[in-house]
Amino acid sequence: MIYGIWTFCSAIIAFIISATLGRILIPYLHKLNFGQTILDIGPKWHKKKQGTPIMGGIMFIAAILIVTVISTILYNIFAPKLIDNYFADIAHENVAIFACLGLALVNGLIGFFDDYTKVAKKRNLGLTATQKLIFQFASAAAYLAVLGFAGFGTTTTIPFVGKVDLGFFYYIISAIVIVGIINAVNLTDGVDGLNGSVTFFVCVSIMLIAPMLNCLGVAAMSACCAGAILGFLVWNFHPAKVFMGDTGSLFLGGLVCGLTFAIDMPILLLPLGIIYLCEMFSVMLQVGYFKLTHGKRLFKMAPIHHHFEMCGWKEVKIVAVFSAVTAIFGLISFLLVMFGVS
């Protein structure tokens, strides 16, 4: 009962902070002329979004940061006293939570510099791909180093298999996965409300999975993230009054990775991140096919959400379908943990 109230309050407070910040941040971004520049190669109807403020991700970043810190402090003080049959390793979970927050914040900062470069130069290209990758791999390495020094080891849990020790390869594979997912989440941001809606369902899924693994602090953090994202979506649903920008999307990429590592099940990024992966692989396939066929395209446009737009799907339909797919795979992930982890 106490756990449920605590988790619910984390989500509600984060929602209120994030949604309220929209009333302050959006007019301020307009005042600074921090508007999105729309590429000519995109769907023509996106041109009407020209000038919509970016960096809106600051809304949910601030909410998540504030509520997670306060919630975790209260968790440390009261959880062992108030929650029946409590036996989680608080120190271990604290490291996972704050390392996750650090990974997300560093990537959000990378996104902020990218967004600022865009608005300062009034174009849709910020940092180069090479610059982003260097910073992202550095952030992933630092994150994994923190976990390593904290004694997290090189094992990972796989449903129906158990603990698997990857040895030194754990760090190499993890770094590639983290950077890959971060960029996949970034690619998912291209339709009003899409990235936020998909990530909302990812966070809700982790919120439900974490208690089964005795990670109540992570569950509360996930609830906080879901609430904060929902508060942002108040302003980002079609027609969007603000975009999260790379500030928000790279932050969410780091967040999703950190949450799955915090429950020692990054393997869940495969089902939970099904939409992110489809977006990423649609771009890779498009580029590869274009080069192999000397100019032909596999999709009408990539990432895949733009393909569906070109096929006549409205933005609201794309968001609804992609969110439903994420919710279904979230349920599958929940069942995998329920029956596959002893």
Side-chain angles (χ1 to χ4, degrees):
M1 181 65 177
I2 295 295
Y3 159 70
I5 294 173
W6 167 47
T7 303
F8 178 76
C9 287
S10 296
I12 292 298
I13 295 171
F15 170 83
I16 292 171
I17 293 174
S18 182
T20 303
L21 279 175
R23 290 191 172 275
I24 302 169
L25 183 63
I26 295 174
Y28 185 66
L29 291 173
H30 272 296
K31 184 178 179 180
L32 294 175
N33 292 317
F34 279 10
Q36 177 76 45
T37 301
I38 305 299
L39 286 175
D40 292 329
I41 61 172
K44 293 179 180 179
W45 51 89
H46 278 210
K47 275 294 182 181
K48 62 184 179 183
K49 301 182 182 186
Q50 183 90 9
T52 302
I54 58 174
M55 297 188 191
I58 293 172
M59 293 157 55
F60 57 74
I61 292 173
I64 291 170
L65 177 60
I66 293 168
V67 177
T68 295
V69 170
I70 295 174
S71 173
T72 303
I73 291 173
L74 294 176
Y75 170 63
N76 278 257
I77 297 172
F78 296 110
K81 301 175 183 178
L82 299 177
I83 299 175
D84 295 334
N85 301 318
Y86 183 85
F87 54 88
D89 185 340
I90 290 184
H92 188 86
E93 196 169 8
N94 283 343
V95 172
I97 289 171
F98 286 108
C100 170
L101 201 56
L103 178 65
L105 287 171
V106 169
N107 278 278
L109 187 61
I110 295 170
F112 176 83
F113 283 121
D114 189 46
D115 284 336
Y116 185 78
T117 303
K118 291 175 185 176
V119 296
K121 295 184 178 180
K122 296 299 178 184
R123 59 191 178 91
N124 202 40
L125 298 174
L127 299 176
T128 66
T130 301
Q131 290 172 330
K132 280 186 183 179
L133 285 174
I134 291 172
F135 291 136
Q136 288 168 348
F137 271 110
S139 71
Y143 169 73
L144 293 170
V146 169
L147 295 185
F149 285 124
F152 276 69
T154 56
T155 61
T156 185
T157 303
I158 300 176
F160 298 104
V161 176
K163 294 277 187 180
V164 177
D165 192 344
L166 299 175
F168 177 76
F169 290 103
Y170 173 86
Y171 297 106
I172 297 174
I173 295 171
S174 295
I176 293 172
V177 167
I178 289 170
V179 173
I181 291 295
I182 287 172
N183 284 292
V185 174
N186 187 35
L187 288 170
T188 307
D189 188 35
V191 170
D192 293 356
L194 178 59
N195 203 358
S197 297
V198 168
T199 306
F200 168 79
F201 283 104
V202 171
C203 290
V204 169
S205 299
I206 297 174
M207 178 191 74
L208 297 174
I209 291 169
M212 293 191 290
L213 303 170
N214 301 313
C215 299
L216 301 186
V218 177
M221 182 181 182
S222 301
C224 157
C225 296
I229 292 168
L230 196 60
F232 168 75
L233 285 171
V234 169
W235 306 99
N236 186 238
F237 276 130
H238 184 73
K241 297 177 179 64
V242 67
F243 297 141
M244 68 172 66
D246 281 3
T247 304
S249 61
L250 293 183
F251 175 90
L252 291 182
L255 182 72
V256 168
C257 290
L259 288 174
T260 57
F261 274 82
I263 59 175
D264 190 33
M265 296 195 73
I267 190 70
L268 290 182
L269 286 169
L270 292 176
L272 289 176
I274 185 66
I275 292 298
Y276 305 142
L277 295 173
C278 287
E279 297 278 13
M280 179 177 67
F281 284 117
S282 69
V283 173
M284 293 171 67
L285 288 171
Q286 182 84 322
V287 172
Y289 189 78
F290 185 86
K291 290 181 178 179
L292 286 173
T293 59
H294 304 288
K296 293 183 180 180
R297 287 176 169 80
L298 190 61
F299 304 104
K300 291 185 177 181
M301 189 174 177
I304 194 70
H305 57 260
H306 286 318
H307 170 79
F308 287 112
E309 270 196 288
M310 302 296 278
C311 289
W313 285 30
K314 299 296 184 183
E315 292 188 47
V316 173
K317 181 178 179 179
I318 294 171
V319 172
V321 172
F322 283 31
S323 297
V325 170
T326 304
I328 291 170
F329 276 87
L331 176 59
I332 292 171
S333 301
F334 179 84
L335 295 174
L336 283 172
V337 174
M338 176 181 286
F339 296 108
V341 179
S342 58

